[in-house]
Amino acid sequence: MPRGDGTGPASTGQGFGQGRGSRQGRRGGGGVGVEGNCVCPSCDNIVGHQIGVPCNKVKCPKCGTLMIKQ
């Protein structure tokens, strides 16, 4: 509303945080990011994800299989 009197353009209904400046990341924001856990696909062992270390580079402490991101 340019003048603050209610005569501005109609709302688009996008809501807070959905405008131009809002980013969802790659592929629509489906990534887990820096949070989450690494899970072993073989023995289901779960370890906390370390920032800067991809889960697929971490070996499971129980069986040695490369882990995946949960």
Side-chain angles (χ1 to χ4, degrees), residues 40-41 43-47 58-67:
C40 178
C43 69
D44 294 326
N45 186 34
I46 298 173
V47 296
V58 176
K59 288 188 178 181
C60 176
K62 285 188 178 178
C63 69
T65 302
L66 289 176
M67 306 194 75

Side-chain angles (χ1 to χ4, degrees), residues 8-55:
S11 173
T12 60
Q14 288 183 349
F16 180 77
Q18 298 294 319
R20 289 182 131 173
S22 176
R23 300 223 181 240
Q24 291 184 343
R26 291 186 197 169
R27 298 185 196 110
V32 177
V34 296
E35 298 175 0
N37 295 314
C38 299
V39 180
C40 178
S42 296
C43 69
D44 294 326
N45 186 34
I46 298 173
V47 296
H49 178 255
Q50 295 178 0
I51 296 173
V53 181
C55 286

